[in-house]
Amino acid sequence: MNIEHFLHNPTTNWMQEEGQYGDIVMSTRIRLARNLTDFRFPRAFSDEEAMQIDKAVSNVLIDADDEEEQHFQFSYFSLHDMPALQRKVLVEKHLISPQLADKERVGSVLLSKDESISVMINEEDHIRIQCLQPGLQLEKAYESADQIDRLLEHHLPYAFDDTFGYLTSCPTNTGTGLRASIMMHLPALTMTNQIGSLISTMPRLGMVVRGMYGEGTESVGNYYQISNQITLGKSEKDILLDLQSVTEQIIQKETEARTALIEHASIALADRLNRSLGTLLYARILTSEEAANCLSNVRLGIYLGIIQNIPIAVLNECMLYMQPGFLQQHAGTTLQPNERDVYRASLLRERLQCNRELKKGHSDEEGEDSYDV
Amino acid sequence: MICENCKQRPATITVTQMKNGKKTTRHFCEVCNKQLDSFHLNLDFNADPISMHKLFSNWFGTPSWSVSAPNVNEQKTQEQENCPECGMTYHQFLNEGKFNCPGCYETFKEQLPQVLKRLHNGAVEHVGKVPGSINELYQLKRQIEAIRLDMKVAIEEERFEDAAAMRDNVRSLEKKLQVGGESQDEH
Ligand SMILES: [Zn+2]
Ligand SMILES: [Zn+2]
């Protein structure tokens, strides 16, 4: 599988299904940090050590695909050989971390064909296993990461200590090395001014909140990523259970807020969401912030039944397309920020308008069908 | 009530947390709560190394912190010790907030619990998954620890016969541990 497969495919496979609570939860991510004994961590190791680790880890995964006919179908890419724009696109698709993309000398990634698994080599730790699933699917994503972990541990000596567990470069990952994250879309909690207090209670529950595109907790487009903070003194199962429980509580709050908005402000809400759709369909200049906020409103509109005829898959595709790396890759050239805003507007306009008409005809037929029944 | 964190000052703040899917309540003094809380708020896993570094040095460098640590002198001498595998000092680790190699954990194992405690809500020991290769021995050790705890309770409750049975059990498990956990399959 060459890199083009991963670069030009806008809706990643794992994003095509919706998953549980798809109206509120975008995706689930599991990350396991692992290291090998007898090698220094990437922040201190030599090029020679880097090469040995790279070889050892990638050989295990590629051989496993060959011998045991595993279904992962891993492709290996060295970051060293990859142009900056390609790295950027992989970051925007959440297939590699920004830290890996920044690596100059070392660093590589193995991507499964369906893009749900990426194994990063020589990022902050020797090995970072990442599994993505649509919607809220902590167990499924963890099982997938665990499977890769077992495969690697069978062939490679992990740095592990009876007391401290899996040894990692950063003490915030020591123990399980597990970071589980849920990406949530919380527009109604934002509109009803409840998001601030929600965010401030998260640390007390042992959870960390981050925005999706923005830095820190400042979120664009009402996307929030909730993750476990603690990796030591808690089993993997308990970490996942606690995150599941917190996530379900947030889902309930967001659902209540959505219901309240419809009950108390239905026209104002419909006005706001449709105006955003109007902007996406007709604007000629769109900053990434405006596009993200409009797409957020349209997403809410679709799930509330206020906006029809736009498939959620097209919306997901637009969310990827609107990012700077993707835009430039689609344009086939580097674009200045103001050129990007124009290109972004035209690309989103085109995607939404053509899919809208297509879907319209289709859903009319569906309507007739349902009258027959 | 005394603060669960420093076990010195009276607890004035109640913190509700999620544990095993259930709500639990913890009690901290104002000083500890502030430290724990400010860390939570600043914690950003993808933060640039500089802010992480500042965080660590501010935090572990504060006078109130070193005063409340009971083994200040011991800490000072240990700070000079280098990791034999990568050369890192404890002081360097506190400044940078990251280890340079797996061996650092062994080198700094005396000081580490107080660092990990702060980062992981008081926890200092791993309780999760264990790599398959060392799983058997590790499970054996955990099993022995658990029986020892039960044994203590049995003695306190004056159930001496139970305690004796547990002691025999521990002995046979320890024998297995010595031969490398191989005989475990026989049972
Ligand atoms: Zn205290
Ligand atoms: Zn070291």
Side-chain angles (χ1 to χ4, degrees):
Chain A
M1 196 92 357
N2 64 27
I3 190 76
E4 304 296 317
H5 165 85
F6 298 99
L7 295 174
H8 292 291
N9 180 14
T11 39
T12 51
N13 290 339
W14 62 268
M15 258 178 123
Q16 303 210 334
E17 311 157 47
E18 222 168 66
Q20 205 191 359
Y21 300 115
D23 56 337
I24 294 171
V25 180
M26 311 282 297
S27 61
T28 298
R29 188 184 67 151
I30 293 287
R31 189 222 66 199
L32 293 175
R34 299 289 187 254
N35 288 281
L36 305 182
T37 53
D38 305 325
F39 292 102
R40 285 172 290 180
F41 294 136
R43 68 194 305 274
F45 67 10
S46 65
D47 285 7
E48 174 63 27
E49 284 174 280
M51 230 176 60
Q52 287 183 33
I53 295 162
D54 199 298
K55 234 182 178 158
V57 176
S58 53
N59 280 349
V60 169
L61 295 175
I62 288 164
D63 290 352
D65 263 345
D66 288 349
E67 287 166 20
E68 295 158 46
E69 287 177 34
Q70 304 267 7
H71 53 276
F72 311 119
Q73 293 183 267
F74 279 115
S75 306
Y76 170 92
F77 302 105
S78 160
L79 271 286
H80 183 72
D81 313 323
M82 200 183 282
L85 187 58
Q86 296 190 355
R87 298 172 182 220
K88 207 170 178 158
V89 170
L90 293 185
V91 171
E92 289 173 358
K93 288 180 87 174
H94 302 280
L95 294 179
I96 64 171
S97 66
Q99 293 97 306
L100 190 75
D102 283 345
K103 292 259 171 172
E104 286 297 322
R105 293 175 301 135
V106 298
S108 57
V109 64
L110 288 125
L111 298 174
S112 70
K113 192 190 172 198
D114 71 352
E115 307 186 4
S116 72
I117 307 171
S118 50
V119 181
M120 288 176 264
I121 307 177
N122 294 332
E123 200 234 35
E124 183 181 280
D125 294 296
H126 297 151
I127 304 167
R128 289 267 173 116
I129 304 165
Q130 176 190 276
C131 294
L132 292 161
Q133 286 294 326
L136 179 59
Q137 301 195 69
L138 279 165
E139 211 172 316
K140 189 172 176 198
Y142 179 75
E143 267 169 24
S144 163
D146 188 51
Q147 197 184 356
I148 302 292
D149 189 35
R150 280 173 199 280
L151 184 62
L152 288 171
E153 77 173 25
H154 189 70
H155 296 274
L156 303 169
Y158 273 167
F160 181 89
D161 179 273
D162 277 3
T163 310
F164 301 127
Y166 291 93
L167 306 180
T168 53
S169 182
C170 186
T172 54
N173 296 319
T174 306
T176 57
L178 165 66
R179 188 126 288 130
S181 308
I182 308 288
M183 185 67 77
M184 306 187 80
H185 183 223
L186 305 173
L189 286 174
T190 310
M191 286 178 197
T192 55
N193 294 324
Q194 297 179 73
I195 200 78
S197 66
L198 184 92
I199 289 175
S200 65
T201 55
M202 283 297 112
R204 293 187 185 277
L205 302 173
M207 303 293 159
V208 177
V209 187
R210 310 184 72 234
M212 186 171 186
Y213 298 111
E215 294 301 310
T217 53
E218 216 174 282
S219 167
V220 182
N222 306 315
Y223 298 103
Y224 297 89
Q225 180 182 283
I226 323 279
S227 322
N228 65 301
Q229 186 207 336
I230 291 152
T231 57
L232 192 67
K234 241 170 146 178
S235 68
E236 287 82 358
K237 196 178 156 218
D238 287 342
I239 289 172
L240 299 181
L241 275 176
D242 286 355
L243 184 58
Q244 175 88 22
S245 147
V246 166
T247 304
E248 282 174 1
Q249 288 175 49
I250 299 173
I251 290 170
Q252 200 191 328
K253 286 232 156 34
E254 170 70 19
T255 308
E256 284 167 13
R258 289 183 185 189
T259 310
L261 277 176
I262 290 185
E263 273 176 19
H264 302 294
S266 92
I267 290 185
L269 183 69
D271 178 69
R272 188 163 166 178
L273 305 187
N274 277 301
R275 274 170 189 272
S276 288
L277 179 59
T279 301
L280 291 173
L281 287 172
Y282 299 106
R284 293 306 194 256
I285 300 172
L286 272 178
T287 63
S288 60
E289 196 185 336
E290 187 178 16
N293 286 326
C294 288
L295 287 169
S296 163
N297 281 340
V298 171
R299 173 179 291 274
L300 179 64
I302 293 170
Y303 281 116
L304 293 181
I306 291 171
I307 292 173
Q308 274 116 25
N309 306 330
I310 293 181
I312 210 76
V314 172
L315 210 70
N316 287 340
E317 195 183 298
C318 289
M319 279 177 61
L320 282 175
Y321 267 135
M322 55 155 274
Q323 300 176 88
F326 247 89
L327 275 182
Q328 296 180 77
Q329 155 144 305
H330 192 269
T333 175
T334 37
L335 299 170
Q336 296 306 308
N338 57 333
E339 295 173 319
R340 266 183 240 157
D341 293 347
V342 173
Y343 197 85
R344 178 180 295 115
S346 108
L347 189 64
L348 294 189
R349 205 164 64 229
E350 182 198 303
R351 299 302 304 161
L352 288 170
Q353 280 183 347
C354 84
N355 280 290
R356 198 176 174 228
E357 276 152 19
L358 257 173
K359 188 69 191 170
K360 204 171 193 175
H362 181 65
S363 75
D364 283 349
E365 277 168 35
E366 266 184 355
E368 283 166 19
D369 283 350
S370 61
Y371 282 117
D372 289 344
V373 179
Chain B
M1 193 173 296
I2 290 176
C3 168
E4 287 176 34
N5 192 53
C6 61
K7 302 205 165 54
Q8 288 175 353
R9 291 174 284 264
T12 51
I13 289 157
T14 306
V15 178
T16 310
Q17 293 178 305
M18 296 304 300
K19 208 165 189 186
N20 309 335
K22 276 181 236 144
K23 265 190 194 168
T24 60
T25 309
R26 302 187 63 183
H27 305 277
F28 297 121
C29 70
E30 234 157 296
V31 178
C32 292
N33 183 62
K34 214 171 168 188
Q35 282 186 338
L36 291 166
D37 207 27
S38 67
F39 190 74
H40 290 321
L41 290 176
N42 286 322
L43 193 67
D44 180 348
F45 296 109
N46 293 324
D48 59 311
I50 297 155
S51 64
M52 195 67 186
H53 151 168
K54 267 195 225 139
L55 196 58
F56 263 83
S57 49
N58 288 347
W59 200 11
F60 293 103
T62 53
S64 71
W65 163 241
S66 41
V67 167
S68 67
N71 52 349
V72 183
N73 291 329
E74 195 188 339
Q75 212 177 317
K76 276 225 170 95
T77 56
Q78 280 171 339
E79 264 175 31
Q80 307 309 317
E81 201 182 318
N82 288 59
C83 171
E85 282 162 55
C86 71
M88 191 176 226
T89 63
Y90 188 62
H91 185 75
Q92 202 186 338
F93 162 67
L94 287 187
N95 272 330
E96 296 174 15
K98 297 202 171 149
F99 299 104
N100 273 353
C101 85
C104 293
Y105 280 89
E106 177 63 26
T107 312
F108 310 135
K109 69 175 175 208
E110 300 301 321
Q111 298 100 310
L112 276 188
Q114 63 200 22
V115 173
L116 294 171
K117 238 188 205 167
R118 288 295 192 276
L119 293 171
H120 299 281
N121 264 1
V124 295
E125 256 186 69
H126 177 59
V127 295
K129 189 181 175 182
V130 171
S133 49
I134 34 177
N135 195 21
E136 212 170 280
L137 287 179
Y138 182 85
Q139 295 298 348
L140 220 46
K141 278 188 205 164
R142 284 281 145 126
Q143 213 179 329
I144 293 171
E145 271 167 39
I147 298 173
R148 284 227 172 95
L149 279 179
D150 288 348
M151 203 161 86
K152 221 172 143 192
V153 175
I155 292 169
E156 274 162 15
E157 291 172 359
E158 302 187 355
R159 292 184 283 114
F160 297 115
E161 263 175 49
D162 290 350
M166 288 174 197
R167 184 201 55 208
D168 294 342
N169 199 353
V170 165
R171 279 185 186 159
S172 77
L173 288 175
E174 276 173 341
K175 253 181 216 158
K176 263 191 238 166
L177 200 60
Q178 277 166 4
V179 295
E182 285 157 38
S183 56
Q184 200 177 27
D185 292 346
E186 288 169 17
H187 291 265

